[in-house]
Amino acid sequence: MKPLTRAEEEIMQILWDIERGFVKDILSPMTEPKPAYNTVSTIVRILERKGFVSHKSYGKSHEYFPIVSKDEYRTFIIKRMLEGYFDSSFAKMSQFFKNDESLNTKQYQ
């Protein structure tokens, strides 16, 4: 598995929420300024090549759905962050969050 770009991750977040949909369904919940239909279509096809998405064909239309779960991707990203920034130490990561005053943990409880 490889990390997603911001645009790819935005589309995956939508697909995880809606579970399946056509490009128009993916485009609908996006915030303004929305990307072009063709841009979303291209990104979805890239996600399909990367193994995150599959589709069911209805003639010339394609209904897309995730084949990597949000939990699987979240686990991958957290492990990557632990390895890359905290020497694979959960204790170091916890200490970072505890010590960083810009991260007010009370607001997240």
Side-chain angles (χ1 to χ4, degrees), residues 51-100:
F52 282 84
V53 171
S54 190
H55 74 272
K56 183 174 181 182
S57 296
Y58 298 94
K60 292 184 179 183
S61 297
H62 294 88
E63 183 180 38
Y64 296 97
F65 53 91
I67 55 176
V68 172
S69 74
K70 190 173 190 174
D71 285 341
E72 288 173 307
Y73 188 69
R74 178 181 20 229
T75 300
F76 165 74
I77 288 299
I78 290 172
K79 283 182 179 178
R80 182 180 163 103
M81 185 176 61
L82 271 170
E83 291 167 3
Y85 295 97
F86 302 102
D87 301 322
S88 299
S89 169
F90 184 76
K92 285 183 181 180
M93 184 174 79
S94 298
Q95 192 64 38
F96 167 80
F97 285 107
K98 181 180 175 188
N99 292 340
D100 191 329

Side-chain angles (χ1 to χ4, degrees), residues 4 14-15 17 21 24 27 35 39 55 83 95 97:
L4 300 174
I14 292 168
L15 277 172
D17 287 344
K24 66 177 180 61
L27 193 55
T39 301
H55 74 272
E83 291 167 3
Q95 192 64 38
F97 285 107

Side-chain angles (χ1 to χ4, degrees), residues 35-48:
Y37 180 96
N38 287 342
T39 301
V40 173
S41 179
T42 298
I43 294 169
V44 172
R45 287 193 311 266
I46 290 168
L47 286 165
E48 192 167 22

